[in-house]
Amino acid sequence: MTVTEQPAQAPEVGRARLRKEDARLITGRTRWTDNIVLPGMQHLAMVRSPFAHARITGLDASAAKSAPGVVAVLTGADVKDVQGALPNAWPASDDQKTPAHPSIAVDEVAFAGEVVAVVIARSAAAARDAAELVDVDYEELPPALELKAAAADEVLAHPDLGTNVSAVWTFDSQEKGTGGSADEAIAAARADGVVIEREYRQQRLIPAFMEPRSVVCDPTGEQLTVWTSTQVPHFVRIFVAAVLGIPESKVRVIAPDVGGGFGGKLQFTPEEVITVLAARHTGKPCKYTETRSESLLSGHHGRDQWQRLTLAATRDGRVTGLKVELLADMGAYLGLVTSFIPMLGALMYNGIYKLPAYHFTCTNVLTNKTWTDAYRGAGRPEATFAIERLMDELAAELGMDALEVREKNWITHEEFPFHTVAGVTYDSGNYEAATARARELFDYEALRREQRERRDRKDPVQLGIGVSTFTEMCGLAPSRWMGEQRYAAGGWEHAEVRMLPTGKVEVVTGTSPHGQGHETAWSQIAADRLGVPFEDVEVLHGDTAIAPRGLDTYGSRSLAVGGQAVVMAADRVVEKAKPLAAHMLEAAVDDLEFTGGRFAVRGTDKGATIQEVVWAAFTSHDLPEGMVPTLDAEATYDPDNFSFPHGTHLCAVEVDTETGQVRMRRYVSVDDVGVVVNPLIVAGQMHGGLVQGIAQALWEEAVYDEQGTLVTGSFVDYTLPTAADTISFVNDNTVTPAVGTALGAKGVGEAGTIASTPAVVNAVVDALRPLGIHDVQMPCTPERVWNAIRSAGENQAEPTTQQAQEHFEPGAPNQDPTAGHAGTPEKGAGQ
Amino acid sequence: MIPAAFDYVAPTSLDEALQALGSGDDVKVIAGGQSLLPILRMRLNAPERLVDLGRIEELRGVSEEGDSLVIGAMTTYSDVLDSDLVRQHAALLHKAIREVADPQIRHRGTVGGALVHADPAGDVGAPALALDAELVVAGPGGERTVAAGDFFRDLFETAVGEGELLTRIRIPKHTGWGAHYEKFVRVAHQWSIVAVGATVRVDGRTIAEARVGLTNMGSTPLRATAVEQALVGKPATEEAVREACAAAAEGTNPPSDLNGDADYRRHLATVLTRRAVLTAAGA
Ligand SMILES: Cc1cc2nc3c(=O)[nH]c(=O)nc-3n(C[C@H](O)[C@H](O)[C@H](O)COP(=O)(O)OP(=O)(O)OC[C@H]3O[C@@H](n4cnc5c(N)ncnc54)[C@H](O)[C@@H]3O)c2cc1C
């Protein structure tokens, strides 16, 4: 046995490693679902309703059936007895009105894009050609479209339900005993304080993941195998079984490499059901891959709310109460978690503030549009937007600085753990530290000075500064909490660590990455816990036959919950290895210490590496009495609280008052996501998240016309930003470890999106405030900004001087020179 | 997004192409395909046969012909951007093409395709109009030349008839003229909400001649002739130019859509015209 001292290894956790999965993901030389080709595979094309609301009065598929290459055509009538109903797993009330949700419409369609028939053919082209030949007669019905009108039941989206109101959900801090009465606080503030009343629109957004959804189903084995571009293979397995009445043991679901989701693939879709039905009907493998247009039209959408908000405060800037009244657009059906999305934000409208009284009501409304569901942040961006916009409005009303009014109200770092008015316990945080760092990086005072100067000289380009000091609750887990809230499942996460004879390691995770870099981060975690090289760890996921236990990836849960499960499983491997190591070293278990992958007998130079112990377990030539010949271990983790990342985001924008154009000038985020496993991945999540949140503020909106047709049905009109539209962000972190886990990590997947939207809109409004403007509806398009300026009238900045041009140099990169210090990437080995 | 089936021919000479075009009722020309392919893939059109002009060498390239530049219809945007002749003698076209879409599309899309497609939001029409381009159209009966002012008929409609091809664009040299194309978009890869192309000849500090073309201010590219006239003899100063450009939106008929209503576009046209002219004049 070698006795040389091993060099102390630098810990993997905290290293800015390049992601090991990137080469295959970026080049596309990998198993995207649409790349899968099976022998005898057939292709599907959907026939979709062009009408938002209509009765199907006739459907003639005979021409399609006899078209070249066509194997079969299935209609609602054909499958109505076998297709079951698509599930809603998170009802908002016990008496929620839930429209029946068929995968293929049978008698009626409730949104434009709903599937009415599917063509199965020998090639994708033949399927598409034949789909054009399916002749459907519709009798149009009036559609319920605009949210407020729908809430008033002017037109019914599903006449059989008798109302569009699906559910009403309420939280009252007085009733719950977590605070006082919001109404009383507001009444008191009306008498001798300040009341801010606002109505904000959370426009409808489209997740617009990069890889359109795709499903392949192979029915030719004992187990039916479904490959699907999903975030939730484990859910899909359960639902294929439950909805179609197939024993779960006969179903295997694989999420191969998946190109983004943002919540948009947290769904059990009609297309998944239809592909399985088609494969079973024909007895052959079938593939369906949606077009980009289909993806925008019929993949679920996000947000879409009206928020009526009343904030009460004292004259010296202390908030005393908040009342929130929401209307939330469900769209035509209740998807997997559609009905509870607004409520995921319900417990966060108080933000980071010590609010004494809080009242929340949400009315879920059905309309004849694509259904809404999870989209990055899911309920929490809306909540954060509301409170962070209100805090800026309060500051303006009182003539205080936006940061000062926040500081007056936030929870100080000594006050953790803090029980909020919404009944949630924030475990940790340090808002002062994050804000101080953000101020410094932003050069807050200098930008305020520049703002004053531009105002004084009536520069046509005005500067605005927006603040967002946010927190969010993520790491979607506590199973007990989810149960209390009527969720159909739990939120634990599972991991297995398998020690291979040659010393290599397989980490099996129940999370299901779709671009986040789990393979890299999980390898870093396992490498540290086991003391093995990063390169020796392989992470397996997304296949119910390989990773049978798991609850998948959404709600910024993978690292905070699933990562902790990996830690626990790896630690169990070490515990299991100890008796064998002791046996090999002829020492007592208590005399062993494990560091850097080596079991050493304390006070001696005797030791054995974990690889040696693994080999000994494999050969089993000399095991201690009663020991089984494997060191593999599993662990399931179910936290008893959420994780609460927080941060301070500061944004400066320039507003061209002549055109209404808004340009980013500087963006600083200082986030506390607890312990950072890989700074590069965190920076990546922040960058992407920020752009997605900024896009809600400035660019994106799903628009329907009066007939209920999606007008923004392609990327020509759904204006997704690219790198050319943003600036280099300045990202930094403070580290307050999450309490209660060995890992100490909080979620980061949604933070950027949640925080940035209000920061940007606050900045736009801040630029225009001297004109008497206190809101611009999202997205703050140039036209909307210009209209706000125009209708603000008189006070308007004098028209133009030439300085205007300086900051709008066409083609200038518009970048912050201090940006881009997120850590130097290290080359991942094996690349 | 799979187009309906079609026949495909790729002739190597103009004559063959014209013959192929005359070979049936439902024949369509394909150049760079950057407008046509999306149309076919979304099944908004399903021609029986496509005639690909990509292999006809004589339709490609930039050359000089006396006081004019000649640009073959099949010259790609990126070829134009690489051309010093265009940069020197038709700076406005060069600047406008820099603003078209992204590099991938500029490597495929052609000047001829853009002109014949005649999307009012396209960035080539207004500069062609402002530069007094002439368009050479070939048909079974030979060639004819159409002035840019007569070329654009309506939305997606030009003087190129059935069985005809645009072969080349002749542009009078505007050597020494300053130019600027001011394109207004919400996101970088968007089509123009409004754009203004201005090219001016400055004599000392005075504007001697000016040409201004407007993009997406009507169903065809438009020429702001009132502004052009008002600019002549004016000093290239903020104030004088502002005054001359005040009428930029007169006589226009811009669309209303998600990016802005007609009033907003009219307002933009005035602001952008001033900015374009001032930049073109080097002020
Ligand atoms: C994502 C995207 C973004 C874009 N953004 C912009 C933009 O910002 N600004 C802009 O100006 N354009 C933009 N375009 C359009 C682009 O400029 C197109 O390339 C151009 O409009 C058409 O040129 P083409 O060579 O591709 O023509 P094609 O698509 O091949 O043909 C277009 C039409 O012209 C006809 N045609 C082509 N050549 C001839 C000829 N020689 N004689 C007769 N008929 C002919 C074809 O039959 C067809 O009807 C964009 C395109 C895409 C896909």
Side-chain angles (χ1 to χ4, degrees):
Chain A
M1 196 147 293
T2 45
V3 289
T4 40
E5 202 55 43
Q6 293 213 335
Q9 228 181 321
E12 279 293 335
V13 167
R15 266 179 91 166
R17 275 203 179 267
L18 284 178
R19 307 195 321 174
K20 50 160 90 168
E21 50 271 72
D22 277 354
R24 72 169 205 274
L25 295 183
I26 291 169
T27 58
R29 288 171 192 272
T30 187
R31 271 158 294 167
W32 304 117
T33 303
D34 192 48
N35 284 352
I36 291 167
V37 176
L38 300 176
M41 193 171 77
Q42 306 168 140
H43 299 262
L44 310 186
M46 304 296 169
V47 180
R48 295 178 184 275
S49 166
F51 300 111
H53 196 189
R55 195 167 293 131
I56 301 169
T57 54
L59 198 158
D60 179 3
S62 52
K65 280 181 180 162
S66 54
V70 171
V71 177
V73 178
L74 296 178
T75 68
D78 297 328
V79 301
K80 66 176 188 302
D81 297 329
V82 292
Q83 69 174 339
L86 291 165
N88 168 247
W90 209 334
S93 69
D94 293 332
D95 58 352
Q96 168 178 288
K97 295 237 182 325
T98 309
H101 191 178
S103 290
I104 304 186
V106 181
D107 313 306
E108 240 176 73
V109 289
F111 72 97
E114 190 164 357
V115 177
V116 295
V118 56
V119 176
I120 308 162
R122 294 208 168 79
S123 74
R128 190 68 258 158
D129 283 345
E132 309 280 314
L133 302 174
V134 176
D135 193 8
V136 190
D137 293 324
Y138 296 96
E139 177 193 332
E140 278 189 78
L141 300 170
L145 296 169
E146 197 275 317
L147 176 53
K148 286 182 183 177
D153 280 344
E154 284 174 15
V155 170
L156 296 183
H158 296 273
D160 55 317
L161 295 179
T163 175
N164 292 327
V165 175
S166 170
V168 178
W169 194 94
T170 303
F171 178 93
D172 180 357
S173 64
Q174 189 178 34
E175 188 192 300
K176 281 276 190 286
T178 54
S181 153
D183 280 332
E184 279 169 28
I186 291 162
R190 283 198 204 284
D192 67 343
V194 196
V195 177
I196 309 282
E197 295 180 89
R198 293 287 185 271
E199 186 171 31
Y200 294 135
R201 171 86 177 125
Q202 295 288 333
Q203 78 270 33
R204 181 177 275 251
L205 300 176
I206 302 181
F209 32 76
M210 193 176 286
E211 179 211 11
R213 296 171 308 168
S214 181
V215 196
V216 172
C217 177
D218 184 356
T220 63
E222 202 41 53
Q223 268 190 332
L224 181 106
T225 305
V226 180
W227 290 261
T228 177
S229 171
T230 185
Q231 295 173 226
V232 289
H234 295 93
F235 288 17
V236 172
R237 184 189 198 196
I238 292 170
F239 288 123
V240 166
V243 171
L244 295 174
I246 306 171
E248 190 184 344
S249 51
K250 296 278 187 198
V251 180
R252 174 181 180 186
V253 174
I254 302 172
D257 281 327
V258 174
F262 311 120
K265 292 174 182 169
L266 166 49
Q267 194 58 265
F268 181 60
T269 67
E271 292 84 356
E272 283 164 340
V273 172
I274 293 168
T275 308
V276 174
L277 287 174
R280 300 217 320 154
H281 181 78
T282 58
K284 287 191 172 176
C286 284
K287 179 195 280 184
Y288 169 71
T289 300
E290 67 186 357
T291 64
R292 178 65 68 189
S293 309
E294 286 179 299
S295 187
L296 297 177
L297 180 70
S298 57
H300 72 242
H301 294 172
R303 315 276 192 269
D304 207 341
Q305 299 180 356
W306 276 106
Q307 307 175 299
R308 278 185 56 189
L309 308 161
T310 314
L311 182 79
T314 60
R315 286 244 137 246
D316 66 351
R318 246 168 245 291
V319 291
T320 54
L322 174 65
K323 187 168 178 173
V324 176
E325 295 157 275
L326 297 190
L327 285 182
D329 195 333
M330 306 286 99
Y333 294 107
L334 303 181
L336 202 55
V337 287
T338 303
S339 34
F340 208 72
I341 294 298
M343 274 49 92
L344 290 174
L347 306 184
M348 291 196 43
Y349 275 80
N350 48 300
I352 63 168
Y353 310 109
K354 290 180 277 190
L355 258 171
Y358 171 52
H359 191 280
F360 172 98
T361 324
C362 176
T363 305
N364 284 349
V365 181
L366 293 159
T367 59
N368 294 115
K369 290 176 283 187
T370 301
W371 81 81
T372 57
D373 207 315
Y375 174 51
R376 204 169 190 172
R380 290 152 295 152
E382 297 91 315
T384 302
F385 182 87
I387 186 65
E388 289 306 300
R389 284 285 295 114
L390 289 175
M391 292 308 275
D392 258 38
E393 294 302 302
L394 178 63
E397 177 73 24
L398 297 172
M400 287 170 75
D401 179 81
L403 281 173
E404 189 191 339
V405 83
R406 285 171 169 82
E407 191 169 353
K408 234 187 162 103
N409 288 286
W410 70 40
I411 302 158
T412 62
H413 69 277
E414 301 95 348
E415 292 173 297
F416 289 96
F418 186 87
H419 305 291
T420 74
V421 73
V424 173
T425 303
Y426 292 177
D427 66 327
S428 63
N430 190 332
Y431 309 142
E432 302 94 314
T435 303
R437 180 74 183 130
R439 259 187 114 112
E440 183 188 322
L441 288 169
F442 190 69
D443 209 349
Y444 190 74
E445 314 305 331
L447 283 164
R448 282 281 180 218
R449 203 175 320 122
E450 180 183 334
Q451 177 181 51
R452 276 194 299 279
E453 286 161 12
R454 282 178 188 256
R455 282 178 181 173
D456 290 346
R457 68 167 187 262
K458 296 201 192 297
D459 194 317
V461 176
Q462 288 290 314
L463 188 71
I465 295 170
V467 175
S468 172
T469 51
F470 84 105
T471 188
E472 57 135 334
M473 36 194 285
C474 66
L476 193 58
S479 299
R480 178 182 296 274
W481 180 86
M482 293 165 95
E484 284 162 8
Q485 303 297 335
R486 299 185 193 81
Y487 182 54
W492 46 264
E493 196 44 78
H494 187 77
E496 184 187 355
V497 173
R498 302 205 289 232
M499 304 303 292
L500 305 182
T502 55
K504 308 294 179 193
V505 180
E506 284 176 341
V507 171
V508 181
T509 176
T511 62
S512 198
H514 37 283
Q516 293 89 343
H518 293 179
E519 290 171 29
T520 301
W522 278 218
S523 297
Q524 290 180 272
I525 293 170
D528 272 1
R529 301 313 284 198
L530 298 169
V532 301
F534 170 82
E535 297 74 22
D536 286 0
V537 185
E538 208 58 51
V539 178
L540 310 180
H541 55 78
D543 181 340
T544 60
I546 291 171
R549 285 171 57 71
L551 288 169
D552 305 321
T553 290
Y554 42 85
S556 304
R557 67 189 303 275
S558 291
L559 182 65
V561 189
Q564 177 61 22
V566 173
V567 168
M568 289 162 61
D571 288 355
R572 277 184 195 163
V573 167
V574 173
E575 283 314 305
K576 264 177 110 168
K578 267 191 185 157
L580 177 53
H583 183 69
M584 290 162 68
L585 296 166
E586 297 173 334
V589 166
D590 288 346
D591 290 338
L592 293 188
E593 57 186 17
F594 181 69
T595 44
R598 182 171 179 269
F599 294 93
V601 182
R602 232 178 254 109
T604 74
D605 57 5
K606 285 207 299 185
T609 65
I610 191 158
Q611 290 84 356
E612 287 165 338
V613 180
V614 167
W615 183 256
F618 170 69
T619 59
S620 291
H621 295 165
D622 183 14
L623 296 184
E625 201 56 40
M627 183 171 174
V628 289
T630 172
L631 299 182
D632 297 358
E634 302 184 47
T636 302
Y637 178 58
D638 193 353
D640 46 34
N641 197 1
F642 293 94
S643 125
F644 299 94
H646 70 82
T648 297
H649 289 219
L650 298 174
C651 169
V653 300
E654 293 178 3
V655 179
D656 183 339
T657 59
E658 287 191 311
T659 62
Q661 185 77 277
V662 175
R663 289 278 162 88
M664 309 279 300
R665 166 73 177 278
R666 183 174 303 184
Y667 198 102
V668 169
S669 74
V670 177
D671 284 83
D672 197 321
V673 296
V675 171
V676 172
V677 172
N678 183 329
L680 215 54
I681 291 181
V682 166
Q685 288 293 320
M686 287 312 300
H687 280 231
L690 288 174
V691 175
Q692 235 159 353
I694 294 166
Q696 175 172 14
L698 297 179
W699 298 305
E700 294 180 24
E701 179 168 25
V703 179
Y704 284 86
D705 68 13
E706 314 80 67
Q707 278 80 47
T709 307
L710 181 66
V711 182
T712 50
S714 83
F715 285 149
V716 173
D717 294 308
Y718 191 77
T719 39
L720 213 59
T722 63
D725 298 297
T726 60
I727 55 172
S728 286
F729 305 122
V730 181
N731 303 125
D732 202 356
N733 293 102
T734 55
V735 177
T736 311
V739 175
T741 69
L743 200 54
K746 306 172 182 178
V748 68
E750 294 157 299
T753 307
I754 292 170
S756 60
T757 311
V760 175
V761 177
N762 278 339
V764 172
V765 172
D766 184 57
L768 301 175
R769 222 180 264 286
L771 309 178
I773 291 164
H774 64 70
D775 192 30
V776 178
Q777 190 177 314
M778 296 189 289
C780 304
T781 62
E783 186 187 32
R784 282 192 180 142
V785 170
W786 183 71
N787 278 332
I789 294 168
R790 190 173 56 159
S791 51
E794 289 297 83
N795 316 340
Q796 206 178 119
E798 285 285 299
T800 218
T801 65
Q802 276 212 292
Q803 273 122 351
Q805 296 290 324
E806 257 170 42
H807 302 282
F808 286 85
E809 199 98 57
N814 200 13
Q815 287 190 353
D816 188 309
T818 64
H821 67 151
T824 320
E826 292 170 52
K827 190 115 178 78
Q831 305 212 8
Chain B
M1 303 249 267
I2 302 168
F6 51 78
D7 281 346
Y8 171 87
V9 285
T12 51
S13 75
L14 183 57
D15 286 343
E16 280 169 38
L18 286 170
Q19 256 174 27
L21 257 187
S23 65
D25 289 342
D26 202 4
V27 184
K28 197 103 181 111
V29 169
I30 181 162
Q34 297 306 294
S35 293
L36 186 62
L37 281 178
I39 291 170
L40 300 188
R41 290 169 70 111
M42 288 194 269
R43 298 197 174 218
L44 300 172
N45 196 347
E48 262 166 32
R49 164 174 287 198
L50 289 189
V51 180
D52 186 344
L53 304 184
R55 294 189 195 163
I56 308 175
E57 277 311 314
E58 60 193 289
L59 294 182
R60 207 181 278 275
V62 182
S63 58
E64 282 174 292
E65 205 180 273
D67 286 341
S68 293
L69 281 187
V70 177
I71 303 177
M74 285 300 293
T75 312
T76 63
Y77 292 126
S78 54
D79 289 343
V80 171
L81 289 179
D82 287 345
S83 160
D84 282 333
L85 286 175
V86 178
R87 202 194 316 262
Q88 260 180 46
H89 304 299
L92 178 58
L93 186 66
H94 199 265
K95 298 220 156 142
I97 286 177
R98 263 197 348 205
E99 303 294 321
V100 171
D102 56 41
Q104 283 165 299
I105 291 162
R106 292 197 295 263
H107 276 288
R108 285 251 151 220
T110 64
V111 174
L115 289 167
V116 181
H117 186 60
D119 188 318
D123 295 308
V124 182
L129 196 61
L131 290 168
D132 292 312
E134 289 178 336
L135 299 108
V136 183
V137 178
E143 276 192 358
R144 64 199 174 95
T145 299
V146 185
D150 300 323
F151 184 79
F152 301 104
R153 297 271 167 86
D154 204 343
L155 275 176
F156 307 110
E157 209 185 304
T158 68
V160 178
E162 291 275 299
E164 288 189 317
L165 282 174
L166 176 66
T167 58
R168 56 197 189 277
I169 301 109
R170 200 178 294 127
I171 300 176
K173 287 183 183 171
H174 286 64
T175 321
W177 289 50
H180 185 68
Y181 191 71
E182 184 82 19
K183 177 169 174 172
F184 191 83
V185 285
R186 293 178 50 215
V187 291
H189 60 271
Q190 222 181 351
W191 292 75
S192 288
I193 296 172
V194 174
V196 178
T199 188
V200 295
R201 191 167 62 78
V202 180
D203 202 352
R205 290 280 296 144
T206 307
I207 297 174
E209 283 182 273
R211 305 279 181 269
V212 178
L214 308 177
T215 301
N216 212 15
M217 287 298 290
S219 58
T220 64
L222 297 174
R223 182 98 174 243
T225 35
V227 174
E228 292 175 0
Q229 281 157 19
L231 283 168
V232 175
K234 294 279 155 53
T237 62
E238 163 82 32
E239 211 171 308
V241 170
R242 166 186 300 279
E243 206 183 297
C245 295
E250 245 167 50
T252 62
N253 186 19
S256 289
D257 58 29
L258 292 178
N259 292 306
D261 66 12
D263 270 354
Y264 176 59
R265 280 192 161 86
R266 284 194 195 92
H267 165 77
L268 278 181
T270 337
V271 175
L272 303 180
T273 302
R274 170 180 21 101
R275 291 182 181 178
V277 170
L278 281 169
T279 311

